[in-house]
Amino acid sequence: MNARRTARDRAPCTDPETLRTTDIDERVESIEKFLCQEMTSALELPSEHSVDSRKPLHTQGVGSIVALRLERRIRLLLGIDIGAVRILRASSVTKLAALCALRMVDPYPRRSVPEDVSDSMPRTDGGRL
C-alpha cells in the first residue's frame, strides 16, 4: 500500500485565510470536498455510499434540517454566510462550492436589478433622463 497521500486523499482545507490565498480552482475543489464530507456526515451515509458532487443536493436526501446543519458548518468553519434556501436550491455540490469560493472573496456581491423592477422603482433624479 502506498504511504503517500494524494491531494484527493487529504482532508480539505477549511481555514478561511488559507483558502482566500489559494487559486480559485483549488479553493472550489477543497470546499467541494468539505461539503461532500459534511453531507455524508449529516446524512449519516454508510462508508460504501458517497455524495455525488454533480447532482442536486435535494435529490441526495438534503432537506431543510440537513441544509440548516450545512449552513451552520459552512458559517463556522469557512466563515461564509450562505442561507439554507440557497443550499437547497443549489444545482450541485460543485456549484455550491463555487458560490462559496466566490463569497470568500466578495461576501456581499452586488445584485443586479432586473429591468422590470427598475422601471417601478422611484426615480431620484426628478424623473429626468
Side-chain angles (χ1 to χ4, degrees):
M1 180 157 179
N2 190 352
R4 295 176 72 190
R5 299 178 88 189
T6 65
R8 276 213 175 305
D9 296 332
R10 281 186 244 134
C13 173
T14 57
D15 176 53
E17 293 306 314
T18 303
L19 284 171
R20 278 188 191 92
T21 61
T22 61
D23 171 73
I24 187 70
D25 293 330
E26 283 182 50
R27 189 179 320 141
V28 170
E29 185 178 330
S30 191
I31 293 171
E32 181 180 327
K33 190 170 185 178
F34 163 77
L35 291 172
C36 286
Q37 287 178 353
E38 290 297 321
M39 283 178 58
T40 299
S41 174
L43 294 168
E44 299 176 0
L45 294 176
S47 58
E48 62 270 7
H49 291 82
S50 63
V51 172
D52 187 339
S53 61
R54 297 164 299 178
K55 289 185 177 179
L57 282 68
H58 71 275
T59 65
Q60 300 187 68
V62 175
S64 57
I65 301 298
V66 173
L68 288 169
R69 286 182 187 164
L70 286 171
E71 174 189 24
R72 183 174 180 268
R73 297 288 292 169
I74 292 168
R75 190 178 334 104
L76 287 173
L77 296 175
L78 300 177
I80 303 167
D81 191 22
I82 189 159
V85 173
R86 174 88 61 182
I87 292 169
L88 287 170
R89 289 184 178 170
S91 60
S92 69
V93 176
T94 303
K95 299 268 182 167
L96 180 60
L99 176 64
C100 289
L102 291 172
R103 287 272 177 99
M104 291 192 97
V105 177
D106 186 6
Y108 304 106
R110 287 187 221 142
R111 294 190 174 110
S112 60
V113 178
E115 289 179 19
D116 58 332
V117 174
S118 62
D119 291 339
S120 63
M121 294 174 68
R123 298 190 64 145
T124 57
D125 62 358
R128 296 186 200 112
L129 293 177

